[in-house]
Amino acid sequence: MGKTFSLITPLFLALIITGCYTVSPPTNPKLLSEKVRTTSASGEIKEFNEQSKNTPTPPMVLPSVYQNISPFTGKTISLAAENANLHQVLYLISQSAGLNLIIDSDVDANTTITLTLNKASTEDALDTVMELSGCSYTLKGNMLYIKQYTTRTFSIPYIHTQSSFDSSLGGDMLGSGGGSSGSSGSVSGKFALNYKNPVEANDFYKQLETNIKELLTPNGKFTLNKFTGTLVATDTKKSLDTINDMLKKIKKSASRQVLIEAKILEVVLNDTHDLGVDWNTLPGAIGDFTFGQALGLENFRKGGVLAYSDKHIDAIMTALDTAGDVQTLSNPRIKVSSGQSALFTSGKLIPFWDLKVTPGTTITGVTTPALYEYTRRDVLDGLSLGVTPKITEDGQIILNIVPVTTSIEGEKSLQGFTSTGSTTTTGTVATAPIISIKEAGTIIYAKDNDLVLIGGLISNVKKDERSSIPILGGIPYLGALFSQTSTKDEKHELVILLKLNTVEQ
């Protein structure tokens, strides 16, 4: 026993000593050559910043989308009701959805409902009851509010402007001003065409107020702020939905526009085309040229609607160049809202003066001289073109077009007596222009990207031409002896091209 203990004791001590011994790492020349780094706090910060620059930014982790769970989700209801009280039906639906029910005092308690539901969605059942009763509901947490009348605000983006359009064509062709004595009446030959679009018809907000009053129930009311275009209406859900549908259609119609690109041309006809441009050459030029619609313009010999294309434009310009010298009078381009009017004018204004004479008076020896007042009037010598487009729901363009041309051929003077103090003389008291007028009016149907062609408006123009003997005709004062001035009659045809394009906002 003693020998055994003495043998174990050295072995135990050897194990303890071995466990406490630290083994040095193997010697590596490369590791021995590296310097031991001692890093300060500022150095660690600098190193962290450098690593941040080189490390890509981790992707953003978005939170999960929060979804509002409807109290009607997954819930159905079955019931059969015949002339049941509205309050009882609403109670059953709210009980099925697990909601608290609050019914406003404006809801008619005598309203009855008849319906049959078999495992219908609770939400669909409530919507059906609301539609039948004319009520509306709102959810606030687990509270179900039922109201007969609700308030809704509508925005009406419309500029408060008023426009009018009035065109009167024709008149008494025989100029009857009265019959002779003993006759039963005067003979007249009157043919007139009136296009009237009064201010009242274009008063947007006035028309809107009238429409809203007709759509509201007897207990409904509304407030319209024309300055901001804000409409606040209080009524049943059904009436407010009807007003909302009407406003959507009005906004859609008001936002539609027609881009009208006009080209007004004048052709000085040559001797071979004194009857006007020969539009019959167009089919031979392009083969498939056809007018989609003829224009019923009495004073315009040719017109129609055709699809716009480069081929058609080239054919039209070729026909014009063949007929004579072509001059461009104007190239107006304008956007017109559907239902609004636009006016194109090309020419010059010629002034005339009207004289108004207030005779002098003498009272108790005091003489008041006559008063002469001159009023200026401007007359257009040129073209006036009025257009009113209307876009239908299927995209068709209804165009009311009224071209009027006027040319001044001379003056008419009115002679009368004028007095200066006690002296009375005869002289011109007023002048009026002698105007040659050609006018027309029609309504046409066109499509987007169509071209409206109006031609055949021919007028006679007198032009002075001076011919002289070379060199001698240019001598000052004496040149008139070697030159002469003659008047030449020219025929001019006016051609109007209108390209139409619908524009949606």
Side-chain angles (χ1 to χ4, degrees):
M1 183 69 180
K3 291 182 180 180
T4 303
F5 178 79
S6 61
L7 180 60
I8 293 174
T9 300
L11 292 174
F12 181 75
L13 293 174
L15 290 173
I16 294 174
I17 294 173
T18 304
C20 296
Y21 178 73
T22 303
V23 180
S24 301
T27 304
N28 191 332
K30 183 177 180 180
L31 295 176
L32 291 176
S33 63
E34 293 181 355
K35 296 182 180 179
V36 180
R37 297 183 299 172
T38 57
T39 305
S40 61
S42 60
E44 290 181 357
I45 295 174
K46 183 177 181 181
E47 182 179 357
F48 175 77
N49 292 334
E50 292 295 331
Q51 291 178 355
S52 299
K53 293 180 180 179
N54 299 327
T55 304
T57 303
M60 181 181 297
V61 179
L62 298 176
S64 58
V65 178
Y66 177 76
Q67 296 181 349
N68 289 323
I69 300 177
S70 172
F72 303 111
T73 302
K75 297 181 180 179
T76 60
I77 184 173
S78 298
L79 63 89
E82 181 178 357
N83 294 326
N85 184 272
L86 174 63
H87 290 193
Q88 295 177 354
V89 175
L90 291 174
Y91 174 77
L92 294 176
I93 294 177
S94 63
Q95 189 179 33
S96 172
L99 298 172
N100 298 313
L101 178 63
I102 300 175
I103 301 178
D104 198 277
S105 59
D106 59 5
V107 178
D108 187 3
N110 298 322
T111 304
T112 58
I113 295 293
T114 299
L115 77 165
T116 301
L117 302 175
N118 183 19
K119 294 182 180 180
S121 168
T122 306
E123 186 174 8
D124 293 341
L126 182 59
D127 291 337
T128 302
V129 172
M130 292 296 99
E131 184 177 354
L132 293 175
S133 63
C135 298
S136 61
Y137 75 90
T138 56
L139 277 175
K140 296 182 180 179
N142 64 343
M143 310 294 288
L144 177 61
Y145 291 84
I146 307 296
K147 290 185 176 183
Q148 182 73 37
Y149 300 102
T150 185
T151 300
R152 200 179 301 179
T153 302
F154 304 93
S155 177
I156 307 171
Y158 191 85
I159 299 177
H160 189 196
T161 58
Q162 296 182 2
S163 61
S164 63
F165 174 75
D166 189 355
S167 177
S168 298
L169 308 179
D172 191 349
M173 305 306 176
L174 301 181
S176 57
S180 58
S181 61
S183 63
S184 60
S186 61
V187 179
S188 64
K190 187 174 184 179
F191 179 82
L193 186 63
N194 297 324
Y195 297 100
K196 291 186 178 181
N197 193 2
V199 176
E200 294 77 11
N202 287 331
D203 192 338
F204 176 80
Y205 285 112
K206 184 178 180 180
Q207 296 290 331
L208 181 62
E209 288 179 343
T210 302
N211 295 335
I212 293 174
K213 289 178 181 178
E214 294 177 353
L215 296 177
L216 290 176
T217 62
N219 295 327
K221 56 184 179 180
F222 73 97
T223 300
L224 177 61
N225 189 312
K226 299 179 182 179
F227 182 76
T228 60
T230 303
L231 171 66
V232 181
T234 301
D235 205 352
T236 62
K237 179 179 180 297
K238 183 178 181 181
S239 296
L240 295 181
D241 289 343
T242 304
I243 293 175
N244 185 47
D245 294 339
M246 181 193 69
L247 291 178
K248 284 183 178 179
K249 291 183 179 180
I250 290 176
K251 291 178 182 179
K252 183 178 180 180
S253 177
S255 63
R256 288 182 168 182
Q257 294 179 320
V258 178
L259 175 62
I260 302 177
E261 298 179 77
K263 184 179 287 294
I264 303 173
L265 307 172
E266 186 179 51
V267 183
V268 181
L269 301 175
N270 52 36
D271 295 336
T272 59
H273 291 79
D274 57 346
L275 297 179
V277 179
D278 186 7
W279 299 107
N280 295 323
T281 60
L282 292 181
I286 59 179
D288 60 348
F289 181 89
T290 55
F291 281 116
Q293 178 185 355
L295 305 185
L297 302 178
E298 181 180 356
N299 290 309
F300 293 77
R301 197 166 49 85
K302 190 65 176 178
V305 180
L306 61 150
Y308 178 85
S309 67
D310 293 338
K311 182 170 61 174
H312 290 169
I313 290 295
D314 292 341
I316 292 173
M317 297 309 297
T318 300
L320 296 178
D321 291 334
T322 304
D325 297 331
V326 182
Q327 300 176 358
T328 301
L329 301 182
S330 62
N331 290 313
R333 186 174 184 266
I334 191 173
K335 282 184 180 180
V336 187
S337 297
S338 178
Q340 299 297 318
S341 300
L343 181 65
F344 299 97
T345 302
S346 176
K348 56 185 177 180
L349 294 176
I350 307 298
F352 289 86
W353 282 266
D354 290 339
L355 176 61
K356 180 181 179 181
V357 180
T358 303
T361 59
T362 302
I363 302 176
T364 63
V366 179
T367 301
T368 302
L371 180 62
Y372 298 89
E373 296 182 31
Y374 289 90
T375 302
R376 173 171 171 166
R377 298 179 182 272
D378 293 328
V379 178
L380 176 65
D381 186 0
L383 169 70
S384 178
L385 179 65
V387 292
T388 304
K390 176 64 178 179
I391 305 176
T392 62
E393 291 186 358
D394 58 354
Q396 294 284 330
I397 302 175
I398 304 175
L399 185 66
N400 182 7
I401 179 169
V402 180
V404 179
T405 62
T406 55
S407 60
I408 299 177
E409 298 182 348
E411 292 184 6
K412 184 70 175 179
S413 299
L414 177 63
Q415 304 296 320
F417 296 98
T418 60
S419 59
T420 304
S422 59
T423 304
T424 301
T425 58
T426 302
T428 301
V429 296
T431 58
I434 301 174
I435 301 175
S436 174
I437 183 171
K438 292 181 177 62
E439 55 189 10
T442 189
I443 297 177
I444 64 172
Y445 288 83
K447 297 180 293 185
D448 182 32
N449 203 42
D450 268 359
L451 183 69
V452 179
L453 169 63
I454 302 173
L457 179 60
I458 301 175
S459 59
N460 295 321
V461 178
K462 295 184 179 296
K463 184 177 180 181
D464 293 335
E465 289 188 349
R466 183 176 181 273
S467 59
S468 60
I469 299 176
I471 301 176
L472 297 179
I475 300 176
Y477 303 107
L478 298 179
L481 300 176
F482 304 97
S483 60
Q484 64 177 359
T485 301
S486 60
T487 301
K488 179 182 179 182
D489 291 334
E490 291 184 346
K491 289 190 175 182
H492 294 189
E493 179 173 355
L494 193 66
V495 178
I496 303 172
L497 301 176
L498 299 176
K499 182 188 176 186
L500 308 177
N501 288 104
T502 57
V503 180
E504 297 283 350
Q505 295 294 331

